Amino acid sequence: MEGGPGSGKGTQCIKIVETFGFKHLSAGDLLRREMVSNSEYGSMILNTIKEGRIVPSEVTVKLILKEMESSDNHKFLIDGFPRSEENRIAFEKISGAEPDVVLFFDCPEDVMVKRVLSRNQGRIDDNIDTIKKRLKVFEALNLPVIDYYAKKGKVHRINAVGTVDEIFEQVRPVFKACEQKALNRS
Ligand code: UP5
Ligand code: MG
C-alpha cells in the first residue's frame, strides 16, 4: 500500500481488513509504537519522523517481521512501506518475500496537505513544515519504489480523490481478484 502523506492509506486499510480479513501492518504505526515504548531507538525515531525522513531499514524491517511472525493470519496488508528502494531491497532480502499486489493512492498535493492538517490526532509530523518535507521525501524516495513495482506489473493505481466509499469501490475489485486467484490455486 503506497501513497503520499494523507492520501488515505490507513483509512482504506481499515475497510480492506473488514472486508477481506488481512492483518494490517502500518509501518508508521509500528514506528510510533516503538517510539513511545522506551526503546533504544525512541529518540532517533522521533527525530526522523519530525523531519519527515525515513527511519533506517533495519529498524523498520525488524518491526514488520516481528509482527508477521507473531500473527496467526498469513495475509498481510503492509501500509506505508517500503518507502525507498533501500527499504524494499532490505525487506526482500531478509524476508525472501515480495508483494502480490501494490496499491498506489494517487492524490494531488493540495488534497493531501488539507487532509493531514485537519486530522487533529496530535501527530508530531502533522504540521505544514514537516508535511512539506514528507512530500519531498515521498517524491524523491518513494516514487522510485512504485516505478519498480509498476515495471513488474504489480501496481494498481487508485484515484485517491473522492469519498472514502468511492475510493473503496476502486480498491475492492483488486482484492476480489486476489481472492479469486487464491481460490483457483487451492
Ligand atoms: N481522509 C482519508 N480519506 C479521506 C477521503 N477520501 N476524503 C476525505 N478525508 C479523508 O488519512 C489522512 C486524513 O484524511 C485522516 O484524517 C482521514 O480521516 C482523512 P489517512 O487514511 O490517515 O492517510 P494516510 O495515507 O495513512 O496518511 P499518513 O499521514 O498516515 O501517511 P504517511 O505515509 O505520511 O504516514 P506514516 O504513518 O506512514 O509515516 C509517518 C512517518 O513515519 C514518515 O514520514 C516517516 O518519517 C516514518 N516512516 C518511516 O521512516 N518508514 C516507514 O516505513 C514508514 C514511516
Ligand atoms: Mg497512515
Side-chain angles (χ1 to χ4, degrees):
M1 181 77 87
E2 301 274 1
S7 58
K9 302 181 293 295
T11 303
Q12 293 295 322
C13 279
I14 293 170
K15 295 186 74 77
I16 297 164
V17 165
E18 276 169 14
T19 314
F20 296 100
F22 284 80
K23 165 84 178 162
H24 177 203
L25 299 174
S26 159
D29 287 349
L30 291 175
L31 288 168
R32 283 183 287 273
R33 196 171 79 190
E34 183 74 4
M35 185 173 86
V36 296
S37 74
N38 267 330
S39 136
E40 57 178 310
Y41 303 121
S43 59
M44 179 275 288
I45 295 174
L46 176 99
N47 290 325
T48 309
I49 289 182
K50 218 159 118 191
E51 287 305 311
R53 294 156 61 135
I54 296 171
V55 171
S57 297
E58 57 194 272
V59 175
T60 318
V61 170
K62 214 192 269 172
L63 292 173
I64 294 173
L65 288 179
K66 205 167 106 195
E67 286 292 300
M68 290 175 100
E69 279 155 14
S70 67
S71 170
D72 42 24
N73 198 329
H74 62 279
K75 284 167 40 179
F76 298 103
L77 181 61
I78 302 184
D79 164 6
F81 180 91
R83 310 290 268 221
S84 64
E85 280 288 273
E86 195 220 327
N87 269 179
R88 179 185 66 72
I89 292 161
F91 182 80
E92 288 179 359
K93 198 168 154 199
I94 298 171
S95 70
E98 267 195 47
D100 293 329
V101 293
V102 176
L103 260 59
F104 167 42
F105 285 78
D106 197 356
C107 195
E109 285 198 359
D110 59 331
V111 176
M112 294 195 272
V113 171
K114 213 159 119 193
R115 286 185 188 166
V116 171
L117 286 180
S118 46
R119 173 160 41 202
N120 287 325
Q121 282 177 2
R123 265 175 57 171
I124 46 159
D125 54 345
D126 285 354
N127 59 79
I128 190 64
D129 286 347
T130 310
I131 294 167
K132 282 185 187 156
K133 292 176 183 165
R134 287 157 73 188
L135 288 168
K136 278 205 183 123
V137 167
F138 173 71
E139 210 171 295
L141 299 180
N142 210 338
L143 285 181
V145 178
I146 297 162
D147 282 346
Y148 170 87
Y149 287 130
K151 287 199 183 99
K152 296 194 120 192
K154 293 191 172 183
V155 172
H156 295 263
R157 184 190 157 280
I158 303 293
N159 172 12
V161 183
T163 66
V164 171
D165 288 338
E166 278 165 359
I167 296 164
F168 189 63
E169 287 317 311
Q170 300 173 64
V171 168
R172 188 200 295 275
V174 176
F175 287 97
K176 260 266 161 280
C178 285
E179 237 177 21
Q180 197 53 51
K181 246 192 209 160
L183 274 177
N184 292 343
R185 273 202 302 262
S186 64

